[in-house]
Amino acid sequence: MTERKRTPWVVGVSGASGTPYAAAVLRGLLAAGESVDLVVSRASRLTLLDETGIAFRDAHWRADLGEWLERGADGKPGTFARPELADVRYWGAGDLAAGPSSGSYPVRGMLIVPASTACVAGVALGLSKDLLQRVASVTLKERRRLVVAVRETPLNGQTLKHLVTLDEAGAVVLPASPAFYAGATHIQDLVDFVAGRVLDAAGVPHRLYRRWEGELGGARPSEASGG
């Protein structure tokens, strides 16, 4: 029997605030049985430390990733069960010889969650200053799916131009903008909505949020339920 060829999604985590978005996307991919190649930028390590207290280390990335994915959006440890990480590969941000840096390395596409304005600019301009930007450039040139979950507000004119450039190049520009029609009652619900939209753009099935079904007020608890 021929072994199934591994074709992962590359998840790039930049230095923007919003590491819970990345964690929710990673959990969603793994729950769907997808393979993942992970790139964590140097700047994002500082954000991750600030938002979760986790120091992400190259030499201990599997343990640190597992701890990260167990935490909820409020930073509480043990909110989620630790997922199986056997089919996750980690590539250092400075490793420009990594597998995903080449178009001949098979991947399904790339999800940048969250994407900082500096990351957006680097990808739009084709700078490839680190592995994250390099993989994004390769994804575009190979005409693979690239989802850019930009997390910044307000946006200046230069960033808007860069986002238009990415859109014209074929990327999906997906602002980390949660909606409220799904009946959010907790910060995790808002995070999961954005993560779910990222997975929607990638075509990955999930059950992270309640979808709109054309019924006004459908997400509100009924009086009979005591909500």
Side-chain angles (χ1 to χ4, degrees):
M1 180 180 293
T2 302
E3 183 178 353
R4 182 176 64 89
K5 190 173 185 179
R6 183 179 184 273
T7 309
W9 285 98
V10 180
V11 176
V13 186
S14 81
S17 176
T19 55
Y21 292 129
V25 166
L26 287 166
R27 285 192 296 266
L29 288 170
L30 295 174
E34 298 287 344
S35 303
V36 173
D37 277 22
L38 178 65
V39 180
V40 178
S41 76
R42 290 189 174 94
S44 71
R45 295 173 188 234
L46 298 176
T47 308
L48 183 62
L49 180 63
D50 185 53
E51 294 183 346
T52 69
I54 296 172
F56 197 91
R57 304 159 294 175
D58 283 348
H60 304 281
W61 69 266
R62 194 176 296 275
D64 296 337
L65 176 61
E67 182 182 357
W68 179 20
L69 297 187
E70 287 181 346
R71 299 200 178 210
D74 58 3
K76 183 179 179 181
T79 300
F80 297 95
R82 182 171 298 207
E84 174 59 53
L85 302 178
D87 206 12
V88 178
R89 290 181 183 174
Y90 170 73
W91 304 94
D95 185 4
L96 292 178
S101 68
S102 171
S104 65
Y105 184 88
V107 302
R108 294 188 61 184
M110 183 179 191
L111 315 175
I112 305 178
V113 189
S116 66
T117 54
C119 173
V120 166
V123 176
L125 297 174
L127 298 182
S128 295
K129 74 169 188 176
D130 62 8
L131 181 61
L132 194 158
Q133 291 184 14
R134 170 60 185 169
V135 177
S137 294
V138 169
T139 302
L140 289 175
K141 82 179 181 67
E142 297 293 329
R143 301 296 190 266
R144 296 166 179 160
R145 179 59 56 94
L146 174 64
V147 181
V148 180
V150 60
R151 216 307 306 162
E152 186 58 270
T153 190
L155 296 172
N156 64 31
Q158 199 60 49
T159 297
L160 291 170
K161 291 176 182 176
H162 290 150
L163 292 173
V164 169
T165 297
L166 291 179
D167 177 77
E168 291 175 341
V172 175
V173 175
L174 195 153
S177 178
F180 294 83
Y181 65 77
T185 59
H186 189 274
I187 184 174
Q188 188 67 53
D189 299 324
L190 299 175
V191 167
D192 285 347
F193 178 87
V194 172
R197 295 299 288 149
V198 171
L199 296 177
D200 287 344
V204 175
H206 67 87
R207 299 181 65 181
L208 286 175
Y209 69 89
R210 174 190 175 275
R211 296 185 182 278
W212 175 251
E213 297 178 348
E215 180 184 352
L216 292 176
R220 293 199 298 269
S222 66
E223 293 182 3
S225 68

